[in-house]
Amino acid sequence: MDGVIRLENITYTYPLASEPALKNINLTLERGKFYALLGANGSGKTTLCNVIRGFIPGFFQGELEGRVLLEGKDLQDYSDGELALKMGYVFQNPFNQITGARDTVYEEIAFGLENFGVAPEEIRRRVDRVSELTNTTFLHEKNPFELSGGQQQRVALAAVLVLEPDILIIDEPTSQLDPQETERVFSIIDQLKKMGKTILLVEHKIEIVAQYADDVIVLDEGNVVLSGEKHTVLTEPALVRHGVEQPGAVRLTARLRAEGYSIDPGTLTLEELESQLNRLLHAKEDSHGNDPV
């Protein structure tokens, strides 16, 4: 197991808070896997992301116990510049991520590379490549603050991807987007998964998590209460008790099984359920023979 990120006994308390926001968390994130981080509002999801990215305790202060290891090295031993190149963070609200230091989308995407002193030819190559990936090329001459929410989210994602980090932490990127823009953003995330990126995603849209994620981590009141492969976690009856809705296909499967249908209890998506129902239909047809009418 290639554990690129390891959390050991992480407990974190915000300044002036009486209770920890995170409690004795132990997790290992493997390289190249797509993790979905789920939980009710206030369960600690964004806090955990901030710990992994190094914003806690550096930016938010407070008391942090335990340690985070990145590629076997304590996170505190990395400089801010080193972390920016290794881990990209995409905020829930793209308005908070767009710097405002540049007047066009092209310049906004290139801004981080300029700060790292990347050669102009390499900047152009990277910006063009990531713009194609995120479908933002046609926005290059526009002002970032004049874009729609979905367009801003894709620009914010491009500005992170252009630094070519191997790890991406993405906090609810579709919370303010319509279904069409949601699909566009997730098609990009899916491409990143296929490129071998390690992805930690906070997301409430459970059907999309069921479709794209590899593993699922569930937080409840600062504790990791469920963790593992998505078919195991998202079909777990205790999920609802921890403030997370089960996918529609899981609920429908339970009803069908209660009525006597032989459906795999691990069925997670509507596509998987359709495949099983087709199998049952064909089995029923075969059992009655295939004589011509």
Side-chain angles (χ1 to χ4, degrees):
M1 180 176 66
D2 185 5
V4 64
I5 296 174
R6 191 162 78 246
L7 283 71
E8 298 179 347
N9 305 314
I10 289 293
T11 296
Y12 172 70
T13 307
Y14 282 102
L16 306 180
S18 58
E19 292 288 331
L22 300 175
K23 303 168 186 175
N24 195 37
I25 290 181
N26 291 276
L27 280 174
T28 297
L29 305 186
E30 297 179 44
R31 191 182 305 275
K33 293 187 74 170
F34 182 173
Y35 295 86
L37 183 58
L38 307 180
N41 290 335
S43 60
K45 301 184 300 296
T46 296
T47 302
L48 181 60
C49 289
N50 285 329
V51 168
I52 293 173
R53 178 54 184 83
F55 295 147
I56 289 175
F59 181 77
F60 290 97
Q61 303 302 311
E63 183 181 353
L64 177 66
E65 301 174 30
R67 63 176 184 165
V68 180
L69 299 177
L70 171 60
E71 297 178 339
K73 178 180 174 181
D74 197 301
L75 202 67
Q76 302 300 315
D77 294 333
Y78 287 92
S79 68
D80 290 340
E82 287 174 323
L83 285 179
L85 292 174
K86 286 183 173 292
M87 280 196 285
Y89 195 114
V90 181
F91 291 85
Q92 178 178 352
N93 188 345
F95 190 84
N96 295 332
Q97 188 148 2
I98 293 173
T99 66
R102 295 292 185 266
D103 296 328
T104 69
V105 165
Y106 185 95
E107 294 169 337
E108 177 69 27
I109 296 173
F111 185 58
L113 294 176
E114 292 173 352
N115 286 337
F116 280 105
V118 176
E121 298 81 9
E122 177 66 7
I123 290 178
R124 284 192 290 271
R125 185 191 70 80
R126 289 205 203 178
V127 172
D128 287 345
R129 186 182 64 82
V130 80
S131 296
E132 181 178 355
L133 174 65
T134 56
N135 190 27
T136 52
T137 302
F138 74 103
L139 301 173
H140 276 178
E141 300 307 315
K142 294 184 178 292
N143 187 302
F145 292 110
E146 295 175 353
L147 305 178
S148 69
Q151 290 171 340
Q152 283 190 338
Q153 189 63 272
R154 297 206 309 274
V155 169
L157 188 55
V160 170
L161 295 180
V162 79
L163 298 177
E164 299 184 348
D166 288 329
I167 302 163
L168 291 164
I169 301 172
I170 308 174
D171 191 357
E172 292 196 58
T174 68
S175 62
Q176 303 175 57
L177 305 185
D178 60 29
Q180 185 177 22
E181 285 292 351
T182 295
E183 277 299 325
R184 287 175 177 167
V185 168
F186 264 90
S187 69
I188 296 168
I189 295 174
D190 191 45
Q191 290 181 68
L192 296 171
K193 171 185 172 180
K194 292 173 181 175
M195 293 165 60
K197 303 291 186 183
T198 304
I199 300 170
L200 178 64
L201 172 80
V202 177
E203 182 56 72
H204 282 291
K205 296 175 181 175
I206 197 68
E207 308 297 342
I208 293 180
V209 168
Q211 182 178 354
Y212 289 102
D214 295 317
D215 281 29
V216 172
I217 301 163
V218 180
L219 289 182
D220 192 358
E221 297 185 348
N223 296 287
V224 174
V225 291
L226 294 168
S227 178
E229 199 273 334
K230 65 179 179 181
H231 287 83
T232 300
V233 175
L234 295 182
T235 57
E236 168 60 53
L239 197 65
V240 178
R241 189 167 70 244
H242 297 299
V244 179
E245 183 182 76
Q246 287 185 317
V250 174
R251 301 195 301 271
L252 183 53
T253 294
R255 291 175 60 184
L256 290 170
R257 285 177 56 81
E259 293 176 12
Y261 288 90
S262 180
I263 305 292
D264 183 349
T267 301
L268 192 58
T269 67
L270 290 176
E271 290 79 6
E272 293 174 358
L273 181 57
E274 181 182 15
S275 176
Q276 298 231 10
L277 291 174
N278 284 333
R279 175 183 58 79
L280 291 177
L281 177 61
H282 292 321
K284 182 177 181 180
E285 291 175 346
D286 291 342
S287 70
H288 288 83
N290 293 306
D291 294 333
V293 176

